[in-house]
Amino acid sequence: CGIWLAALVLRTAHRLGEPRMFFLGLSFLAVAGFFFIHGLLTPGVIIRFFSTGIGWAPLVGLLLGAIFLALSSERLRAARQSRWFAARRWILLGLLLLWAGFLTLSIAVPELLAGHPTSLSVFTAAAPAAGPMLEEDGTPAQAGESMYFPWISVTILSISIGLYLLTAWRYTRNYRLTRMPLHATVVAGVIMLAESQLSFFFASTWRISWWEYHALVLLGFTTILYGLLTGYRQGTGLTQTITSL
């Protein structure tokens, strides 16, 4: 869903030369790519061992998504628009290299940042009597492994949620002026993406609340896609719907 939506918006952005549209599509592409890596790093898919990258991929992807969404809501001057759009191929190349580098590093150094949990539940969980503490994917943690306070994930979480709230506020303002469905659905979708990070950070592994963050990311994408299709069905046209951003 995320990749399909990204391709749809990026294609229109390329045709119209609209940088804010480009950043909107890029936000979905960044999140979808890192969640794909998250799936690839599941033990038994392409590797048979646990890598800490499986926990960091969603956080990094949602942070990049928040950055690009915030840029899509920024009103740029003509000169800055031209510069950003002229650099679009380099930005896409940079994102591809980041995906490749993250996946390679996660496989080559599977214990990178092993002492820094990506969720509060892992940090606060006490070892149960029947077995050891679990990692983010349910893999038993190493005996005697020390856990630091998750300040890295807290920092990423704070920046991401701040950017999502900023984006939601800007699109709410746009909706009040235009009353276009896309603006309302972007607000709803962005709030769901922010909620997904909170769910990921506070939920315990393999509990319903842990699966909730997957569902929230999917719903966030689907909601914005619904806004695009609704505007198109109402006769607004895809181009006019997106350029109303």
Side-chain angles (χ1 to χ4, degrees):
C1 181
I3 293 177
W4 188 89
L5 178 56
L8 177 69
V9 178
L10 288 172
R11 180 180 178 183
T12 308
H14 176 73
R15 187 173 70 248
L16 299 178
E18 174 55 59
R20 287 180 295 130
M21 212 188 312
F22 170 71
F23 286 125
L24 181 64
L26 206 59
S27 66
F28 302 130
L29 187 62
V31 175
F34 273 97
F35 268 82
F36 181 68
I37 293 173
H38 174 69
L40 289 179
L41 291 176
T42 302
V45 178
I46 62 171
I47 57 176
R48 296 188 177 276
F49 52 85
F50 171 73
S51 171
T52 55
I54 193 175
W56 291 105
L59 284 176
V60 174
L62 287 168
L63 173 61
L64 286 175
I67 293 172
F68 290 134
L69 273 170
L71 287 171
S72 77
S73 66
E74 178 71 21
R75 294 287 179 179
L76 301 173
R77 295 180 179 177
R80 290 183 63 188
Q81 285 191 21
S82 300
R83 287 197 298 269
W84 276 115
F85 197 72
R88 66 189 183 282
R89 290 185 176 85
W90 291 107
I91 296 173
L92 282 171
L93 178 60
L95 181 59
L96 290 172
L97 291 176
L98 184 59
W99 285 341
F102 185 93
L103 181 60
T104 301
L105 188 63
S106 297
I107 295 175
V109 191
E111 296 182 357
L112 185 67
L113 298 176
H116 296 270
T118 57
S119 67
L120 189 64
S121 60
V122 173
F123 173 70
T124 58
M133 184 172 67
L134 299 180
E135 299 282 7
E136 284 84 349
D137 72 329
T139 304
Q142 297 296 324
E145 179 182 349
S146 60
M147 283 284 176
Y148 298 99
F149 181 78
W151 61 269
I152 299 178
S153 54
V154 168
T155 301
I156 294 175
L157 184 76
S158 301
I159 295 172
S160 300
I161 291 180
L163 290 172
Y164 281 130
L165 292 177
L166 173 64
T167 303
W169 176 76
R170 286 174 172 172
Y171 277 105
T172 299
R173 183 180 58 186
N174 290 345
Y175 177 71
R176 289 175 178 173
L177 294 173
T178 65
R179 295 294 176 179
M180 297 196 69
L182 177 59
H183 295 163
T185 54
V186 168
V187 173
V190 163
I191 290 174
M192 289 180 193
L193 291 174
E195 289 176 344
S196 73
Q197 286 202 302
L198 291 174
S199 178
F200 176 82
F201 184 70
F202 288 106
S204 298
T205 308
W206 302 119
R207 301 291 178 86
I208 293 178
S209 54
W210 184 81
W211 286 106
E212 180 185 9
Y213 95 88
H214 295 83
L216 284 168
V217 172
L218 179 60
L219 283 173
F221 283 139
T222 305
T223 300
I224 299 175
L225 176 60
Y226 174 77
L228 285 169
L229 296 178
T230 298
Y232 182 76
R233 286 200 306 268
Q234 290 178 352
T236 306
L238 182 60
T239 299
Q240 184 180 348
T241 299
I242 297 179
T243 51
S244 69
L245 297 171

